[in-house]
Amino acid sequence: MTQLETLPRPEAVIFDFDGVIADTERLHFDLFGKALEPEGISFTWEEYVAHYMGCNDRDAFRKAFLRNGRELEDGRLSRMIHAKSRLFQDAVRQGVSSYPGAIETIRSLNASRIPLAICSGALRADIDPILSAFGIACCFTAVVSADSVRKGKPDPEGYILAFRELTRSRGSKVASAGACLAVEDTPDGVTAARRAGLAVLAVANNYSAEALARADHVVGSLEELRIEGIGPA
């Protein structure tokens, strides 16, 4: 029988996207490989998990070049980001899966009038089509993407911005960062959310529970999550 993790009702919930809502990390790995192939740079899945997962595209490409002792000028970086995004959007048209419990959790929180936001290292153009396909775009008050920030996770900039957007739009309903919950799946994401002063729930979709131990709570799947006073949507 599944062990359920019951959490107190938060003022708001901020979700990471890839790895928490959309099961797209393998797709990102494949497309990074395609984008880097002309540059003679490659890495294994294990290397991707260890060094690149959780990074936005900008930081991941820079890190790949740096780890290979090469510089990456801004113009080439921009072209590679756009090329990978086009490949990603083409792939998304074939369909993308959500993680177990993710859509149900989002819908039940939204039905209970808990403000929701996204804080992701993905591009907004990569996020929007998937939210629409899942039928949950209307659930989110704010979407903070790689386009919105100068620094990616583990820097807290994205989470600070998402929290500010929630307080601006929801006023006194979202008053304390510590009373809000971030849902993450990577160590860098957990660090970013904690630095922003948020409580953190980590989902062990791609990393072990031990790797995510700095989170306040860790579950194996969002199917194991229950929020006090909230039932199915």
Side-chain angles (χ1 to χ4, degrees):
M1 184 174 178
T2 301
Q3 180 78 29
L4 299 182
E5 181 80 17
T6 301
L7 305 184
R9 181 185 176 104
E11 290 185 354
V13 181
I14 305 174
F15 287 86
D16 181 36
F17 184 68
D18 296 300
V20 169
I21 299 174
D23 187 358
T24 47
E25 290 294 2
R26 283 280 181 179
L27 176 58
H28 281 293
F29 165 69
D30 290 341
L31 298 185
F32 271 120
K34 289 182 179 179
L36 288 167
E37 187 174 357
E39 304 292 338
I41 295 175
S42 63
F43 43 76
T44 64
W45 170 252
E46 289 74 22
E47 290 172 324
Y48 175 74
V49 172
H51 302 292
Y52 304 102
M53 188 182 289
C55 293
N56 59 36
D57 288 357
R58 179 177 61 241
D59 291 344
F61 280 125
R62 284 174 175 163
K63 187 179 289 189
F65 271 69
L66 182 63
R67 287 177 59 80
N68 283 270
R70 296 168 56 183
E71 294 183 0
L72 178 58
E73 62 272 18
D74 290 345
R76 180 182 290 184
L77 172 62
S78 180
R79 290 191 294 273
M80 294 179 74
I81 289 172
H82 288 298
K84 176 180 172 289
S85 182
R86 287 194 296 271
L87 290 171
F88 185 84
Q89 291 172 46
D90 287 343
V92 164
R93 294 188 187 99
Q94 307 304 313
V96 171
S97 298
S98 61
Y99 279 99
I103 305 303
E104 295 81 1
T105 297
I106 290 165
R107 286 178 173 160
S108 65
L109 291 169
N110 182 62
S112 298
R113 300 185 181 278
I114 292 181
L116 306 179
I118 285 174
C119 176
S120 172
L123 297 171
R124 185 67 185 263
D126 294 347
I127 296 171
D128 286 346
I130 299 176
L131 290 181
S132 295
F134 289 166
I136 55 173
C138 61
C139 295
F140 295 96
T141 298
V143 176
V144 173
S145 65
D147 318 74
S148 312
V149 299
R150 290 183 296 176
K151 296 181 180 180
K153 301 170 186 178
D155 191 275
E157 181 184 0
Y159 275 110
I160 292 170
L161 179 57
F163 175 71
R164 286 176 179 169
E165 287 292 312
L166 288 170
T167 57
R168 182 185 62 80
S169 61
R170 295 302 183 97
S172 61
K173 289 185 178 180
V174 184
S176 168
C180 296
L181 182 69
V183 184
E184 269 289 349
D185 74 306
T186 69
D188 279 353
V190 171
T191 297
R194 286 181 60 88
R195 287 178 177 174
L198 302 166
V200 187
L201 169 73
V203 189
N205 286 331
N206 294 292
Y207 288 87
S208 67
E210 290 75 18
L212 301 168
R214 292 193 69 241
D216 299 285
H217 310 274
V218 181
V219 294
S221 163
L222 286 178
E223 289 181 311
E224 300 172 13
L225 176 66
R226 292 294 180 271
I227 303 292
E228 289 180 357
I230 296 177

